[in-house]
Amino acid sequence: MSNQAIATNICKLIVKSGLKPFKTTPSLLSNLDTQITHLVLSNPNVPTQSCLSFFNFLRSNPSHKPDLRAHLILVSRLYGARKFAVMKNVLNFIANDENLRSTTERIVASIGSEFNEPKFVDKLCDMLFRVYVDNRMFDSALGVFDYAKNNGLEIEERSCFVFLLALKRSVNVELSLELLRKMVDSGVEITVYSLTIVIDGLCRKGDVERAKTLMDELVGKGIKPNVFTYNTLLNAYTERKDMCSVNEILSLMEKDGVDYNAATYTILIEWYSRSGKIEEAEKLFDEMLKKNIEPDVYVYTSIINWNCNSGNMKRAFALFDEMTERGLVPNSYTYGALINGACKAGLMEAAEILVNDMQSQGIDVNQVLFNTLIDGYCKKGMIDEALRLQEIMQQKGLEIDVFTYNIIASGFCRSNRREEARRLLLTMEERGVAPNAVSFSILIDIYCKEGNFAEAKRLLKEMEKKGEVPNVVTYNTFIEGYGKKRKMEEAYKLKNEMQERGLMPDTFTYTSLINGECIRGNVDTALELFNEMPQQGLSRNVVTYAAMISGLSKDGRANEAFRLYDEMKAAGIKPDDRIYPSLTGSLHRTGS
């Protein structure tokens, strides 16, 4: 019996009885070979659904698995029946089977002319392209794209968009740029969304200049950026603190008539706030409300945070109330910003109320917030409250880390409980917490204040031995200690050492040296240091002025002391209680 006759009999059996005969009488498949399978699947008298059932039956039978041609015959039948989802599943079999996987040329050549419907090959290539993308077989997908381009076939823009999305998730920026170039060269219609995906990938990688160049290039080809494109570049430029480029993007948006959306305002409010331009941020916030663009919790949190950082807690609390009145639910970052601001301002009762409110919303206090609260209590001198919170932390199973120990030790020092601070820091390693540079600096400060420089130096060596690099604070601690003990040669030696390590002296360094020279009676040397500060780009604070005014006053140089006093007030620095007694004393010394 010929292959055609066998195939015809199998087809009749499938149409009449379905797959049941083949399951009950496996011998019916004994004469089935590749050619007969092809004839059965391509027979128009067998319904497409029956062909699919027969195909799946064969796939489950190891000895009769369909070959590539059989898969493509079924794909052709499914295309004719407009069963595209099932068609894609069959192509998935090809993509994921090493014995079936092949080049696009071979796949297309294996179709056969009998199913050569118009646009079928286009649809096949487009769907195969999508299948490869879904399976993250990006090189194979590009192979399909190149085949389609070289043979005048069409890959749909939406399929390319899916590819670009997949590449973005894979952080494969170079390949996404290559695909976009291919799309341009092939005449694929490019939407602004495809452009924005590639620009976003380049910006995330840090190639902002290439992203901007790409946008300019495609603008020349008639693709108009939208607000999402501009937001992507804006965000990248603000992260780089590139004010000129930020202004350029804003000018382009204005020129193109692209209105800001909520994300634009969020980026700009965050940008102005970070730059200390709170008034500009507030203006943008008001403009946003006037345009009926609803601010979300992130916008409110951003502007609340920067008001807290600038110490304007009244405005921060007003914004918080306004946000909740709008029905927006504060998140952990909102509460964190307010609690941090309240603690810095010494408003510990308000911080406690916020913590309780936060917990009532189902947001638990984390380790960072506990450390923030402990720091707030320590700075207010409420050490017992800080220790109470430490116990609660331990009860909750939260780690008492090096930051917690350093905060409490600093609190003990502020309250002149140095022995407790020393004991805490010296025993922290026994509790499994390794000291860091700050821990060592606090201990060094304790020994320097006690005049025990030998022990302080020993700790410095131990610190370096443990891999903790001394920082500016560490050196300043020594310099301040030596200055108060009139050991200026040692102080200058450490200043030089710190500079050799690449650490720049700061306002505290100079203030300590000025104070030390004044204590020794070398007021002219102190003045030289005082005048050197602006040349080094350092600002003088109230402590610097107090040290210099005190030195001049003790030396009987009242006129110079009062001149500095006037200069300080003109600079907007508010005098403290240390300055007035010095000035009064200078008048007595000069007999005025």
Side-chain angles (χ1 to χ4, degrees), residues 190-432:
I190 297 173
T191 67
V192 67
Y193 303 105
S194 293
L195 168 65
T196 302
I197 281 180
V198 180
I199 284 177
D200 183 56
L202 287 166
C203 287
R204 287 174 186 271
K205 191 185 173 187
D207 289 338
V208 191
E209 286 79 10
R210 286 172 75 194
K212 175 65 166 54
T213 302
L214 177 66
M215 185 184 81
D216 293 341
E217 178 189 329
L218 293 189
V219 164
K221 295 181 184 291
I223 300 164
K224 187 178 178 182
N226 62 13
V227 67
F228 302 104
T229 321
Y230 284 121
N231 284 348
T232 301
L233 284 166
L234 263 182
N235 189 57
Y237 284 131
T238 57
E239 288 295 322
R240 294 175 63 172
K241 301 178 181 177
D242 187 344
M243 186 177 290
C244 291
S245 296
V246 168
N247 291 333
E248 182 188 354
I249 296 298
L250 295 177
S251 296
L252 285 172
M253 290 178 77
E254 185 179 356
K255 180 185 171 185
D256 292 344
V258 178
D259 292 329
Y260 297 178
N261 64 7
T264 319
Y265 280 107
T266 304
I267 292 165
L268 291 175
I269 287 168
E270 180 74 16
W271 158 251
Y272 284 125
S273 299
R274 273 206 314 261
S275 306
K277 299 177 180 178
I278 302 297
E279 287 183 11
E280 291 292 329
E282 291 276 10
K283 281 180 188 175
L284 277 172
F285 185 69
D286 291 339
E287 180 185 309
M288 185 181 185
L289 296 177
K290 284 174 186 173
K291 288 185 177 181
N292 292 320
I293 297 173
E294 281 293 320
D296 58 18
V297 67
Y298 302 104
V299 176
Y300 269 106
T301 299
S302 176
I303 203 159
I304 284 170
N305 181 48
W306 293 105
N307 270 289
C308 288
N309 287 343
S310 64
N312 191 351
M313 293 307 299
K314 185 178 179 180
R315 175 64 176 153
F317 283 122
L319 285 165
F320 181 79
D321 292 339
E322 183 184 308
M323 180 182 80
T324 53
E325 284 166 11
R326 284 178 176 271
L328 295 172
V329 180
N331 58 27
S332 58
Y333 299 105
T334 321
Y335 280 110
L338 275 170
I339 291 167
N340 184 47
C343 288
K344 282 182 178 176
L347 305 172
M348 298 314 297
E349 285 185 19
E352 287 279 6
I353 290 168
L354 285 165
V355 167
N356 293 333
D357 187 34
M358 178 174 118
Q359 290 177 313
S360 71
Q361 297 290 333
I363 305 170
D364 207 359
V365 184
N366 59 24
Q367 188 173 336
V368 174
L369 274 182
F370 264 113
N371 281 343
T372 302
L373 289 163
I374 289 170
D375 188 47
Y377 280 121
C378 284
K379 283 175 178 170
K380 287 264 300 187
M382 301 168 71
I383 303 296
D384 293 335
E385 281 298 309
L387 294 173
R388 178 184 65 81
L389 281 180
Q390 183 192 352
E391 286 180 15
I392 294 172
M393 269 183 85
Q394 290 173 308
Q395 289 166 12
K396 283 181 171 284
L398 293 171
E399 180 187 358
I400 306 298
D401 59 14
V402 67
F403 303 105
T404 319
Y405 280 109
N406 290 342
I407 289 165
I408 295 173
S410 295
F412 277 136
C413 288
R414 281 193 202 96
S415 300
N416 290 318
R417 293 163 67 172
R418 290 183 195 147
E419 189 52 45
E420 288 170 272
R422 187 190 349 247
R423 190 163 55 247
L424 181 71
L425 292 173
L426 291 174
T427 58
M428 63 190 283
E429 271 194 284
E430 296 171 13
R431 300 171 195 177

Side-chain angles (χ1 to χ4, degrees), residues 435-437 440 460-470:
N436 62 11
F440 280 107
L460 184 64
K461 288 180 182 177
E462 184 185 332
M463 175 183 180
E464 293 184 281
K465 189 178 178 182
K466 290 189 174 181
E468 291 292 337
V469 181

Side-chain angles (χ1 to χ4, degrees), residues 40-60:
V40 171
L41 293 173
S42 59
N43 192 315
N45 295 318
V46 181
T48 302
Q49 187 58 45
S50 299
C51 280
L52 179 62
S53 299
F54 184 63
F55 173 86
N56 288 331
F57 173 70
L58 294 180
R59 272 184 56 82
S60 65

Side-chain angles (χ1 to χ4, degrees), residues 444-461:
I444 287 168
D445 184 52
I446 291 169
Y447 287 116
C448 284
K449 279 184 168 63
E450 292 173 349
N452 191 347
F453 293 105
E455 184 60 23
K457 283 183 177 178
R458 187 196 67 75
L459 273 173
L460 184 64
K461 288 180 182 177

Side-chain angles (χ1 to χ4, degrees), residues 4-254:
Q4 183 63 63
I6 295 170
T8 301
N9 287 337
I10 290 174
C11 289
K12 288 177 181 177
L13 196 58
I14 291 171
V15 172
K16 182 181 178 182
S17 307
L19 297 178
K20 189 175 179 181
F22 300 98
K23 292 177 180 178
T24 55
T25 314
S27 59
L28 288 172
L29 296 173
S30 58
N31 293 323
L32 188 68
D33 61 15
T34 300
Q35 188 180 6
I36 294 170
T37 301
H38 297 169
L39 290 169
V40 171
L41 293 173
S42 59
N43 192 315
N45 295 318
V46 181
T48 302
Q49 187 58 45
S50 299
C51 280
L52 179 62
S53 299
F54 184 63
F55 173 86
N56 288 331
F57 173 70
L58 294 180
R59 272 184 56 82
S60 65
N61 191 319
S63 59
H64 291 91
K65 279 196 169 185
D67 64 358
L68 177 63
R69 166 95 172 118
H71 281 72
L72 291 168
I73 290 170
L74 180 62
V75 164
S76 304
R77 295 288 304 269
L78 292 166
Y79 175 77
R82 299 298 182 260
K83 294 181 178 291
F84 299 123
V86 186
M87 178 181 167
K88 190 177 179 183
N89 287 339
V90 176
L91 289 176
N92 254 307
F93 296 148
I94 296 173
N96 289 292
D97 190 325
E98 289 183 5
N99 297 318
L100 299 172
R101 200 180 306 142
S102 190
T103 62
T104 312
E105 290 88 342
R106 187 182 164 215
I107 288 171
V108 173
S110 300
I111 295 169
S113 58
E114 66 271 27
F115 293 107
N116 195 16
E117 288 190 40
K119 292 289 181 183
F120 168 63
V121 177
D122 286 78
K123 184 67 177 179
L124 172 71
C125 287
D126 186 74
M127 194 171 283
L128 187 61
F129 178 81
R130 289 279 288 269
V131 164
Y132 283 138
V133 170
D134 291 345
N135 286 281
R136 301 172 64 81
M137 300 165 69
F138 299 144
D139 289 338
S140 297
L142 277 182
V144 176
F145 188 95
D146 290 338
Y147 176 86
K149 173 188 171 184
N150 295 333
N151 289 275
L153 303 171
E154 181 186 356
I155 299 292
E156 294 181 13
E157 195 278 338
R158 63 179 180 177
S159 298
C160 294
F161 181 73
V162 170
F163 194 0
L164 290 170
L165 273 176
L167 291 170
K168 178 186 175 182
R169 294 189 194 102
S170 303
V171 201
N172 199 331
V173 179
E174 295 305 322
L175 197 55
S176 68
L177 190 57
E178 182 184 342
L179 175 63
L180 192 69
R181 297 281 183 208
K182 287 177 181 287
M183 290 167 69
V184 172
D185 295 341
S186 303
V188 176
E189 182 187 355
I190 297 173
T191 67
V192 67
Y193 303 105
S194 293
L195 168 65
T196 302
I197 281 180
V198 180
I199 284 177
D200 183 56
L202 287 166
C203 287
R204 287 174 186 271
K205 191 185 173 187
D207 289 338
V208 191
E209 286 79 10
R210 286 172 75 194
K212 175 65 166 54
T213 302
L214 177 66
M215 185 184 81
D216 293 341
E217 178 189 329
L218 293 189
V219 164
K221 295 181 184 291
I223 300 164
K224 187 178 178 182
N226 62 13
V227 67
F228 302 104
T229 321
Y230 284 121
N231 284 348
T232 301
L233 284 166
L234 263 182
N235 189 57
Y237 284 131
T238 57
E239 288 295 322
R240 294 175 63 172
K241 301 178 181 177
D242 187 344
M243 186 177 290
C244 291
S245 296
V246 168
N247 291 333
E248 182 188 354
I249 296 298
L250 295 177
S251 296
L252 285 172
M253 290 178 77
E254 185 179 356

